[in-house]
Amino acid sequence: MVERDSISFVFSGSGSGTPVTPAEFVATIATLAPPGFGWLHLNRADTKTPALLAEAGLDHFVIAALIADETRPRCTVHGNGVLLNLRGVNLNPDAEPEDMVSVRLWLEHQRVIGVWGRPLFAVQDLAETVTRGEAPRSPGDFVAKLALRLTDRAEPVVATLNEEIDTLEEAVIDPKARVSRARLGGLRRKAIVLRRYFVPQRDALTTLEIEDIGWLDNHDRARLREAAERVQRFGEELDAIRDRAQIVHDQIMDNRAEAMNQRMLLLSIVSAIFLPLGLLTGLLGINVGGMPGVDDPRAFWAVCLALVVLGAGLVWMFRKLGLFRT
């Protein structure tokens, strides 16, 4: 993905778009006739961004929301526009997908102004559609396409988590298999972090869909509803992954406890066998007069034979009791 500090287009409203500079964007929008509209996307780290936002006529509330350090998905109607914050999975190189990237949007009937802190594939996808002659036809079309692309990019990530938990569930069936608790914990953490943003994102999209906004037509609302339903499905799948991870963890603990119990049982049986044998040998080893067989050379072998018979009898008894079944 090619990183860009800014993206700016002017759209005709009929599927075509023309790239412009951020400075040209402000001047062009002022004279643009409907159904045309413009899109300006800026880098939050750029020191010129606050000045460009102010030059575009945004008030301090909107500017502060667009350049805030931390944001959560939300939809707020403010004056004649809508402030929309969304999140997309982080697919940048050497990044974790659950470290979701925010995209902040100010939406009006003739302009879309966005800010990002890091590159986001879904935004780049939308910019690339313009070069193919498939530009958004309205701000409503723009936000609907962006919401659907955010879900398109997130779907493989959620599917990968499902495949990983499937693999762990199959592995934990075998009590002798070694399942990494660190891997399981990482999987569960990813599901929790992703869900933390997907749930409010669904609410933000649903709020936008039901708002009485003139530049949102029925087709745009239907696609926003579709995006919200897909995000809701992601949230439900992440809930299931989190619960399944807990079940796998419990199964790992059960397997370890069972293995420990088997070892303790074996040690107990060995102790039970050698306890009477040790008692007899200890009794025969006391250094007092009157010990039978002291002067008989066959007594040692008779005692050994008796110990073997006694040990075999104890083993047979434990087997009858089923204690050797593991």
Side-chain angles (χ1 to χ4, degrees), residues 183-203:
R183 179 184 176 188
L184 180 63
L187 176 63
R188 188 179 183 192
R189 181 184 63 82
K190 290 179 182 179
I192 292 173
V193 173
L194 288 172
R195 183 190 180 281
R196 185 175 66 187
Y197 290 110
F198 277 134
V199 172
Q201 183 142 316
R202 175 204 61 196
D203 296 338

Side-chain angles (χ1 to χ4, degrees), residues 18-48:
T18 303
V20 295
T21 65
E24 293 172 340
F25 173 87
V26 176
T28 304
I29 289 299
T31 59
L32 192 64
F37 72 103
W39 172 30
L40 174 64
H41 212 87
L42 302 174
N43 188 338
R44 189 175 69 89
D46 191 343
T47 56
K48 299 178 182 178

Side-chain angles (χ1 to χ4, degrees), residues 157-169:
V157 174
V158 177
T160 299
L161 295 181
N162 268 314
E163 292 174 0
E164 289 183 15
I165 194 64
D166 288 342
T167 300
L168 292 177
E169 284 179 331

Side-chain angles (χ1 to χ4, degrees), residues 16-92:
S16 62
T18 303
V20 295
T21 65
E24 293 172 340
F25 173 87
V26 176
T28 304
I29 289 299
T31 59
L32 192 64
F37 72 103
W39 172 30
L40 174 64
H41 212 87
L42 302 174
N43 188 338
R44 189 175 69 89
D46 191 343
T47 56
K48 299 178 182 178
T49 293
L52 287 171
L53 294 176
E55 186 179 350
L58 304 185
D59 62 35
H60 68 281
F61 172 81
V62 176
I63 294 176
L66 291 177
I67 64 175
D69 292 334
E70 293 293 335
T71 64
R72 287 179 63 83
R74 64 167 178 160
C75 177
T76 304
V77 176
H78 179 68
N80 296 324
V82 175
L83 185 63
L84 181 66
N85 290 342
L86 300 175
R87 288 262 179 168
V89 292
N90 191 349
L91 300 177
N92 294 304

Side-chain angles (χ1 to χ4, degrees), residues 146-161:
L146 177 60
L148 289 171
R149 276 168 173 75
L150 288 172
T151 59
D152 289 340
R153 288 293 188 175
E155 190 163 10
V157 174
V158 177
T160 299
L161 295 181

Side-chain angles (χ1 to χ4, degrees), residues 9-253:
F9 287 100
V10 173
F11 303 122
S12 65
S14 59
S16 62
T18 303
V20 295
T21 65
E24 293 172 340
F25 173 87
V26 176
T28 304
I29 289 299
T31 59
L32 192 64
F37 72 103
W39 172 30
L40 174 64
H41 212 87
L42 302 174
N43 188 338
R44 189 175 69 89
D46 191 343
T47 56
K48 299 178 182 178
T49 293
L52 287 171
L53 294 176
E55 186 179 350
L58 304 185
D59 62 35
H60 68 281
F61 172 81
V62 176
I63 294 176
L66 291 177
I67 64 175
D69 292 334
E70 293 293 335
T71 64
R72 287 179 63 83
R74 64 167 178 160
C75 177
T76 304
V77 176
H78 179 68
N80 296 324
V82 175
L83 185 63
L84 181 66
N85 290 342
L86 300 175
R87 288 262 179 168
V89 292
N90 191 349
L91 300 177
N92 294 304
D94 301 323
E96 297 293 336
E98 68 273 13
D99 182 21
M100 299 186 75
V101 181
S102 67
V103 53
R104 305 97 180 267
L105 300 172
W106 172 249
L107 305 163
E108 292 180 308
H109 71 287
Q110 269 195 303
R111 62 180 180 175
V112 176
I113 299 178
V115 174
W116 60 11
R118 290 169 290 176
L120 189 60
F121 274 73
V123 175
Q124 293 282 8
D125 291 342
L126 196 56
E128 290 172 2
T129 62
V130 180
T131 62
R132 300 196 300 265
E134 301 172 1
R137 298 175 180 272
S138 68
D141 187 29
F142 174 93
V143 71
K145 286 183 175 179
L146 177 60
L148 289 171
R149 276 168 173 75
L150 288 172
T151 59
D152 289 340
R153 288 293 188 175
E155 190 163 10
V157 174
V158 177
T160 299
L161 295 181
N162 268 314
E163 292 174 0
E164 289 183 15
I165 194 64
D166 288 342
T167 300
L168 292 177
E169 284 179 331
E170 292 176 0
V172 82
I173 293 175
D174 183 3
K176 297 181 180 179
R178 297 184 62 86
V179 178
S180 171
R181 292 176 61 188
R183 179 184 176 188
L184 180 63
L187 176 63
R188 188 179 183 192
R189 181 184 63 82
K190 290 179 182 179
I192 292 173
V193 173
L194 288 172
R195 183 190 180 281
R196 185 175 66 187
Y197 290 110
F198 277 134
V199 172
Q201 183 142 316
R202 175 204 61 196
D203 296 338
L205 293 173
T206 301
T207 299
L208 179 61
E209 183 229 331
I210 64 176
E211 288 290 347
D212 187 14
I213 301 172
W215 41 263
L216 273 179
D217 59 27
N218 291 334
H219 182 61
D220 298 332
R221 294 179 191 275
R223 288 190 295 167
L224 285 173
R225 185 163 53 253
E226 170 64 20
E229 290 176 354
R230 291 174 66 181
V231 172
Q232 180 175 355
R233 178 170 57 84
F234 293 158
E236 292 171 352
E237 291 184 6
L238 292 169
D239 277 336
I241 291 171
R242 181 188 59 186
D243 294 340
R244 291 166 66 190
Q246 182 61 44
I247 293 174
V248 171
H249 179 268
D250 293 342
Q251 185 63 46
I252 293 173
M253 294 295 99

